[in-house]
Amino acid sequence: MVEKAITGEKRAFMTGNEAVAWAALAAEAEIMYGYPITPQNEIMHYWTRLAPKYGRKFLQTEDEISAGFTTCGGVLAGKRAFTATAGPGNILMQEAMSMAEMLRIPTVVVVQQRGGPSTATVIYSQQETTLTCFGGNGEGLRIVYSTSSHQELFDYTIKAFQIAWKYRFPTFVLGDGYQAKMRESLYLYNPEEKGIPLAEPYPFLGQEGRPGVEREPSHLRNTYNTEEELYQIISRYVEDYERMTPEVVEYQASDFEDAEIVLIAHGIVSRAARAAVKALRSEGLKVGYFRPITLRPFPVGKLREIAPKAKKLVVAESAQGQLFKLVQEALYGETVPLEPYFKPGLGITSEELVEFIMF
Amino acid sequence: MAIVPNMPRSWRVETKPHKFCPGCGHGLVLKALGEAIDELDIQDRVVFGCDIGCSLLAWDFFNVDIVQTHHGRTTPVMTGIKRARPDRICIAYMGDGGGYAIGSQHLVNAATRNEKITAILVNNCNYGMTGGQMAPTTLPEMKTETTPYGRDVEETGYPTQGPEMVAAIAREGAYTARGTVANVRQLKNYLKKALQNQLEEKGFSFVEALSGCPTNWSTNAKATWAFLEENMTKYFKVGEVKVPVKEEE
Ligand SMILES: Cc1ncc(C[n+]2csc(CCOP(=O)(O)OP(=O)(O)O)c2C)c(N)n1
Ligand code: SF4
Ligand SMILES: [Mg+2]
C-alpha cells in the first residue's frame, strides 16, 4: 500500500504545478509518465522529487505520443496513472487519448495551456479548449475540468482520478500557464479524511489466474470489422456518457436572477469575470455570472435556464471563440444575442471587462 | 476421424482457424511464440500487445491477456504496463512499418532505456494490411504499390537493418536476433531466449522474424518461399545479433 503523502490539512503557498504534484500524491496516483514542455515541467519536477519518498514511480518518455500510450499502459495494468502536457504536446497526446476513449481507459491528463497555434508562447492561453474537449477522431467522450485557482487545481486533480475510474472516460484537468507558474495560497489535505472517495483502480489486463483455464482472457481491441459493430459500441458509450452527464456536470452561476447581461467565462478568466460582475453590480448594473467548470460535458441545462432571462450574453476568453462555440451550441434555438470578447493567447483583467460592458 | 491439428497450449482454440491469409508468415511466428510461452510456462504472466497492421488480427489469438493498440504504439503501451506491473511478461508484437517507420522512435528509445519488455517484429518487406506499399524493409528494386518501378535506394534509402540497429543502441543485457519463419524451431529458440531475458530482468529483448506476405507479393507457395529464403536472407542475415554476456565472463 502506498504511504500517505498528506495527513490533516495544511495551508500552503506554492505554484499550481506544485499543487498538481501534491494532488496526485494525495489522490494516491502510483505512476506518472511525462515529456518536458513548458509550462507543465514543474509538475514532473516536483513529482520526481516527491514520488520516491512515497513509493511512487516516474518514467520520462521519448515524446508525448509515448507519454500518452505509456499512461494508457499503466492504467491497463490497474494503476492510477497520469501525465501532464501543454500546447504541441497536447496535440501529440490526443492519439493515445483517442485509444483511451475507445477502450474506456481512465487516464488522467493535466493540461497547462500555452499560446497557440504551433509553438507560439510558453506563457498562457485558453486555446486548447477545443483540442482538449474534442481532440481525436471521435466524439469527445471525455471529461474536462477547467480550473481557475490553485485550490481548484488541487481539488480537481484529486477528483479527476476518482471520476475517471468511476465512469471510465479519459479525464482532463485544464489549467493554463498562469495557474501553472503563479504562486497562490491553498489548502492541501488528505481526501479520505474529508470523506472524498479515492479512485478504485483494478487491472484490465494481467489479472491472476490462467487465462482460458481459470478465467476468460481479457482481449481488448479498438478495431472493428463492420459499421454495425462499431455503431453499437459507440452508441453504448454515448448512452453511458449521457447517463453520467447529470452526475458530473459542474458550473458556477451567480447574480443571474435579475441580470440583463450575463458574463460567461471559464478557467482563470472566470476570476476576472466574477470580479467584473461585482464591480458592475456596485455601479448598479444588472450583470450576472456563469462559468462552466466541466467543459465536457457542458452544463447545457443551467445555461439554458439562465440565458433567456437576459438581454445579452458576453463570452470572454483568451481564445478566438472556442468557449463561444460551446455556448452557441448549448443555446441553439435561443434568441438572446451573444457578444464576443476574444483575446487569443492574452490574459484578461476584470478592469477591461468592466470597461467593455459599461461602454 | 477429424485430425486435430497440433496447436500450442497457449493458443486460443475458439479463435482458430486464425484470420491471416493462407500462407501468411504471421501464423508461423505466433506458433513459435506460442510454443516458447508453453515451454517457459509463462501463460499466466504474459500480457501481449499487438499493433495495427496484420498483427492486429492477433487480438484474440492466445489464451493470454491481449490489448490491441495503435499503429506503431505497441512498444510504449507495453512499456507502460511493464513499468506499472514489473511482474508481468510484456510482449509487443508489430510489423516492420509499425516498428521501423511510424514507431521507430519508440523502438529506439525502449532499447536505449533497456526496457524489460520483449518486442517481436514481423518483417514482410511491405505494409501488408494497407495493401502492399513500400515499408522501411522493402528490398532494393522490389516492386510495391508505392514503388511500382522498384525501390530506388537513391530516392528512398536502403532497407532498415533492425536488429543490428537495436544491438548498436541497446546496453549489455539486451538480446537481439533475427529469425525466419523458414526455420520455426530456430525462431522459437530466439523467442524463448528473448522472453528468458525478460524473465531474468536482464534488459530489452528484440526479435525480428522474416516472414512471407503472399497476398501482396502476389506469389504462390513456391515463389513465396524462394523470395523469403533467397532474396530476403541475402540482405537480412539470420542469426543472433546481440546476446547478454555471461556473468562469469
Ligand atoms: C496513424 C496511422 N497511420 C496509418 C495507419 C494505416 N495503417 C494500418 S496498418 C498499416 C501498415 C502496416 O504495415 P506493417 O506494420 O508492416 O504490418 P503488416 O501489415 O505488414 O504486418 C498502416 C500504414 C494507421 N492505422 N494509423
Ligand atoms: S496481407 Fe500479407 S501479412 Fe497480411 S495477413 Fe495477408 S499475407 Fe499476411
Ligand atoms: Mg509489414
Side-chain angles (χ1 to χ4, degrees):
Chain A
M1 198 56 226
V2 284
E3 198 195 321
K4 297 265 177 278
I6 304 169
T7 50
E9 196 173 72
K10 289 194 179 75
R11 189 144 175 89
F13 183 71
M14 55 174 59
T15 65
N17 282 336
E18 198 174 355
V20 169
W22 277 105
L25 282 175
E28 296 189 2
E30 289 148 295
I31 184 162
M32 177 185 188
Y33 306 87
Y35 188 81
I37 190 162
T38 309
Q40 162 283 129
N41 289 318
E42 295 82 8
I43 298 177
M44 294 188 306
H45 300 176
Y46 287 110
W47 180 264
T48 49
R49 277 159 187 74
L50 294 165
K53 296 184 189 162
Y54 302 101
R56 322 293 174 89
K57 295 180 182 175
F58 175 76
L59 174 65
Q60 181 168 331
T61 57
E62 58 274 19
D63 55 27
E64 289 86 351
I65 299 174
S66 182
F69 280 102
T70 47
T71 303
C72 288
V75 173
L76 288 169
K79 305 292 176 192
R80 298 180 196 98
F82 77 109
T83 184
T85 191
N90 194 4
I91 300 176
L92 296 189
M93 196 65 74
Q94 293 306 321
E95 190 197 334
M97 292 310 114
S98 88
M99 187 172 94
E101 274 183 35
M102 182 56 116
L103 293 178
R104 300 285 296 267
I105 305 173
T107 46
V108 171
V109 182
V110 179
V111 176
Q112 301 287 34
Q113 298 170 93
R114 54 187 263 168
S118 181
T119 317
T121 73
V122 298
I123 306 165
Y124 161 83
S125 88
Q126 296 189 313
Q127 293 168 288
E128 293 169 52
T129 299
T130 305
L131 179 67
T132 307
C133 289
F134 298 104
N137 55 337
E139 310 301 331
L141 299 177
R142 37 183 74 195
I143 298 153
V144 180
Y145 291 110
S146 173
T147 60
S148 73
S149 68
H150 289 35
Q151 189 64 59
E152 287 186 358
L153 274 176
F154 187 81
D155 298 345
Y156 284 103
T157 299
I158 291 171
K159 194 175 217 174
F161 285 98
Q162 192 247 334
I163 293 293
W165 280 92
K166 182 169 178 190
Y167 296 102
R168 282 185 61 171
F169 287 109
T171 301
F172 296 79
V173 176
L174 186 65
D176 58 62
Y178 288 170
Q179 295 181 67
K181 298 274 193 179
M182 274 191 317
R183 274 176 209 280
E184 197 166 84
S185 58
L186 72 154
Y187 285 103
L188 306 178
Y189 53 82
N190 180 314
E192 277 179 305
E193 289 172 8
K194 280 183 173 272
I196 298 168
L198 286 184
E200 286 168 32
Y202 50 86
F204 296 61
L205 294 167
Q207 298 94 326
E208 295 308 312
R210 180 158 289 228
V213 182
E214 290 154 22
R215 63 172 174 90
E216 279 299 296
S218 305
H219 287 160
L220 313 177
R221 63 167 164 163
N222 59 67
T223 315
Y224 292 92
N225 298 322
T226 66
E227 292 164 53
E228 289 76 11
E229 227 179 342
L230 174 67
Y231 175 67
Q232 222 173 43
I233 297 279
I234 302 301
S235 302
R236 210 179 65 220
Y237 288 4
V238 169
E239 238 171 71
D240 290 350
Y241 193 84
E242 285 171 353
R243 201 174 325 110
M244 169 197 77
T245 294
E247 294 169 31
V248 305
V249 82
E250 287 187 45
Y251 57 83
Q252 276 177 348
S254 72
D255 302 286
F256 55 84
E257 289 299 346
D258 63 341
E260 291 174 358
I261 300 173
V262 175
L263 187 48
I264 303 174
H266 79 96
I268 203 160
V269 178
S270 70
R271 283 165 75 165
R274 204 159 49 211
V277 168
K278 208 172 153 201
L280 290 161
R281 281 266 165 192
S282 69
E283 297 287 329
L285 273 82
K286 291 185 173 158
V287 183
Y289 163 78
F290 183 75
R291 167 201 171 198
I293 295 174
T294 47
L295 297 177
R296 282 291 290 157
F298 197 79
V300 176
K302 189 67 185 177
L303 186 58
R304 289 187 75 90
E305 177 199 319
I306 293 173
K309 298 182 198 152
K311 291 207 178 75
K312 181 169 86 173
L313 308 178
V314 174
V315 180
E317 58 178 314
S318 297
Q320 191 67 27
Q322 301 194 22
L323 171 66
F324 193 86
K325 285 195 194 95
L326 296 173
V327 170
Q328 233 173 357
E329 189 197 357
L331 291 179
Y332 180 75
E334 294 291 346
T335 51
V336 55
L338 285 175
E339 195 168 337
Y341 189 83
F342 299 158
K343 290 282 153 92
L346 198 61
I348 295 174
T349 64
S350 58
E351 290 82 0
E352 63 184 285
L353 290 175
V354 167
E355 198 172 322
F356 180 73
I357 286 172
M358 281 186 70
F359 305 104
Chain B
M1 199 182 86
I3 300 165
V4 180
N6 192 9
M7 290 185 211
R9 219 171 355 123
S10 51
W11 275 26
R12 186 163 177 82
V13 179
E14 294 89 324
T15 59
K16 305 296 169 292
H18 60 60
K19 308 173 190 91
F20 301 106
C21 304
C24 174
H26 272 285
L28 290 169
V29 179
L30 295 173
K31 177 158 193 220
L33 178 61
E35 288 173 354
I37 290 172
D38 290 353
E39 288 175 24
L40 293 169
D41 195 23
I42 52 173
Q43 189 184 338
D44 303 33
R45 291 173 64 193
V46 167
V47 177
F48 180 84
C50 58
D51 217 67
I52 298 302
C54 290
S55 66
L56 76 82
L57 300 170
W59 73 276
D60 59 357
F61 199 93
F62 294 103
N63 264 333
V64 307
D65 287 350
I66 300 176
V67 58
Q68 184 186 63
T69 79
H70 282 192
H71 189 34
R73 313 305 177 211
T74 309
T75 303
V77 173
M78 302 324 283
T79 297
I81 295 174
K82 186 72 182 183
R83 290 275 178 158
R85 286 284 303 276
D87 62 329
R88 298 294 100 179
I89 305 301
C90 296
I91 301 172
Y93 183 73
M94 67 201 81
D96 39 11
Y100 296 151
I102 194 166
S104 59
Q105 78 275 37
H106 307 311
L107 181 63
V108 165
N109 284 282
T112 307
R113 292 191 304 258
N114 226 6
E115 294 292 346
K116 312 292 185 291
I117 63 169
T118 301
I120 302 170
L121 185 145
V122 174
N123 175 353
N124 56 14
C125 293
N126 76 71
Y127 284 8
M129 174 125 286
T130 40
Q133 298 84 359
M134 182 183 75
T137 45
T138 295
L139 295 176
E141 310 302 330
M142 183 178 168
K143 287 194 170 109
T144 71
E145 290 296 332
T146 49
T147 56
Y149 305 107
R151 180 174 187 168
D152 177 354
V153 292
E154 287 303 316
E155 244 184 70
T156 62
Y158 281 88
T160 303
Q161 302 269 10
E164 291 80 0
M165 174 181 77
V166 170
I169 306 164
R171 287 209 312 267
E172 291 310 323
Y175 177 84
T176 53
R178 181 185 286 113
T180 167
V181 296
N183 189 343
V184 175
R185 183 187 295 251
Q186 179 197 53
L187 177 61
K188 181 196 72 185
N189 282 330
Y190 291 166
L191 292 171
K192 242 175 106 173
K193 283 187 176 180
L195 291 167
Q196 190 67 40
N197 215 52
Q198 183 177 171
L199 278 163
E200 292 170 12
E201 298 174 9
K202 282 192 178 143
F204 188 61
S205 45
F206 179 68
V207 178
E208 180 188 289
L210 303 182
S211 175
C213 176
T215 301
N216 289 303
W217 293 356
S218 306
T219 45
N220 62 18
K222 196 163 163 239
T224 302
W225 288 99
F227 189 83
L228 183 70
E229 296 200 83
E230 287 154 35
N231 304 39
M232 281 179 85
T233 49
K234 255 191 225 121
Y235 194 88
F236 302 115
K237 296 281 170 264
V238 172
E240 291 182 313
V241 186
K242 187 178 186 116
V243 296
V245 214
K246 288 221 172 59
E247 244 125 62
E248 55 272 17
E249 279 172 4

